[in-house]
Amino acid sequence: MFSLFLFGGIFIMYFNYNNPVHIHFGENCIRQDAEDLIGQGTRALIVTGKSSEKNGCLDDICDVLEDHSIPYTVFNDIIPNPTVASVRRGTQFAKDFGADFIIAAGGGSPMDTAKGIALLARQDLSNDQLFHSEYYTQDVLPTVMVPTTAGTGSEVSEYAVLMDEEAQTKSSISTPLIYPKAAYLDYRYTRTLGRNSTVYPALDALSHSIEGILSQRGDAMITAIAMESIRSISQCFPAMETMELADSHRELLLYGACLGGLVLAHTSTTVVHAMGHSLTFSKGIVHGRANALCLPGYLRFTAGARPDLVSKILHNMGLESLDEMDDVFNRFLGKKEVLTEEEILEFTRIVSHKRNVPNCLVVPTPRDIEIMFRNL
């Protein structure tokens, strides 16, 4: 919530901000600050993908748990863009082991899966009820997040995004109940990432911050956090293009993504994510790439009514114009996917009813959304 009051010729700001996640950031932070990891329960379920065995993250987690005699098991049946069914498989795995807390290690898929498990392990919810917080009780397993990509910001948010077959799109679990208790961010775990696993999550994080500024829920504090995120990520663009990333770049990307997550947790998303979810569900386009395809069009649309804000965003990206932004994004995205006429009209219909569309600072009409899809 944000308001400006004029008093004696001076604007006085009013805003509310809260994020309950204890963030540990830095090299070797899991081993150095283990209290938040070991203090959540007595039997741990580790939710992770296969890559955590390569980047050293899983070894660090397991060593800390073993040092403190905490039994654990690993659930690694993780799929990109997790479905409700995959979360239910993990839920049964957690129940069978008797886990009383969850550690997620990986990108958005393991973290969102872990949040879904944390909810369903203690609550009997139908597939439809899963996406409606009025059905939830307060009983949720505590979670700890260890991101190994720099992008989703799920480690500091109250959201978990799952493939929703009934709605024919991706849908969000949204409740403060699934805020993680702690997050551990160590850039070393991102060293093994390839080009797509570096670039697309970074553009996703950039979208979180830009959308936060251009949302109905943006305020002075969120804008400050978002602009810092945008600067941190954008100054890594040249290194991302050549994939000649030093540890300092990896650290900046992880930092910028975490800040983007803080923005996302406060403002939620806009039409960019609504459009991107349709591209992911129906076209199989990975989440970060899908958002990056949609983001320039949203900025062009918003610039018609709020050129001041769009200009400030571009300035913090180190860019002079939207045309220059198009050039940068085109180099990252390469050959773009083509939508059929039927897809454009169907996606427009679906997106027009999504709840994050009215969250746009300048709310697009269905016709505006159709034009954005046509101009991807």
Side-chain angles (χ1 to χ4, degrees), residues 22-251:
H22 189 168
I23 302 169
H24 302 266
F25 190 103
E27 188 172 334
N28 207 32
C29 58
I30 287 177
R31 294 179 183 271
Q32 291 183 359
D33 303 316
E35 291 81 8
D36 273 335
L37 187 70
I38 63 175
Q40 304 304 327
T42 60
R43 292 178 69 83
L45 173 69
I46 303 173
V47 178
T48 187
K50 303 295 192 297
S51 62
S52 294
E53 298 176 4
K54 301 176 182 178
N55 59 35
C57 173
L58 187 59
D59 286 341
D60 286 348
I61 293 170
C62 293
D63 286 350
V64 167
L65 293 175
E66 290 169 9
D67 287 346
H68 293 84
S69 302
I70 296 177
Y72 65 87
T73 189
V74 177
F75 177 74
N76 60 12
D77 184 16
I78 301 298
I79 60 175
N81 301 307
T83 62
V84 175
S86 69
V87 170
R88 291 197 182 279
R89 287 196 299 272
T91 299
Q92 190 59 53
F93 194 90
K95 289 180 176 179
D96 291 344
F97 179 69
D100 60 5
F101 75 108
I102 302 174
I103 302 166
S109 294
M111 289 192 282
D112 286 356
T113 298
K115 290 178 179 179
I117 294 171
L119 188 65
L120 288 175
R122 293 293 181 87
Q123 304 192 32
D124 184 16
L125 299 167
S126 68
N127 287 359
D128 181 63
Q129 290 172 334
L130 180 59
F131 298 106
H132 298 281
S133 59
E134 63 266 27
Y135 295 105
Y136 305 162
T137 70
Q138 298 294 308
D139 192 11
V140 177
L141 292 181
T143 62
V144 175
M145 301 287 154
V146 186
T148 62
T149 62
T152 70
S154 187
E155 69 271 14
V156 292
S157 83
E158 61 177 288
Y159 305 110
V161 184
L162 306 176
M163 294 291 250
D164 185 353
E165 294 285 347
E166 294 180 13
Q168 292 291 292
T169 186
K170 298 177 79 173
S171 296
S172 296
I173 301 172
S174 175
T175 171
L177 294 170
I178 60 171
Y179 265 120
K181 297 298 183 182
Y184 288 84
L185 291 88
D186 188 332
Y187 72 88
R188 296 178 304 149
Y189 305 143
T190 69
R191 285 172 173 166
T192 59
L193 295 174
R195 182 188 184 279
N196 288 353
S197 296
T198 297
V199 171
Y200 295 154
L203 296 180
D204 184 29
L206 186 72
S207 188
H208 293 158
S209 291
I210 291 175
E211 289 180 71
I213 295 170
L214 300 180
S215 80
Q216 292 282 349
R217 304 179 197 174
D219 58 40
M221 186 165 183
I222 283 299
T223 296
I225 295 171
M227 289 299 190
E228 173 70 1
S229 169
I230 292 167
R231 284 190 294 270
S232 298
I233 295 167
S234 299
Q235 64 183 284
C236 298
F237 280 173
M240 288 163 58
E241 286 192 47
T242 62
M243 280 305 292
E244 296 175 353
L245 290 119
D247 283 346
S248 57
H249 296 117
R250 295 286 187 189
E251 187 173 53

Side-chain angles (χ1 to χ4, degrees), residues 271 274-275 278 339 341-354 357 365-374:
V271 69
M275 293 172 66
S278 283
L339 303 184
E341 181 68 16
E342 292 77 13
E343 286 172 333
I344 290 171
L345 296 178
E346 178 63 7
F347 294 168
T348 298
R349 182 190 66 80
I350 293 171
V351 169
S352 297
H353 297 287
K354 297 285 280 186
V357 172
T365 66
R367 176 58 178 163
D368 295 323
I369 295 169
E370 180 185 333
I371 291 171
M372 284 188 272
F373 272 125
R374 293 187 182 281

Side-chain angles (χ1 to χ4, degrees), residues 279-293:
L279 295 179
T280 297
F281 184 89
S282 297
K283 302 287 285 185
I285 302 172
V286 297
H287 177 67
R289 178 179 175 86
N291 287 342
L293 287 166

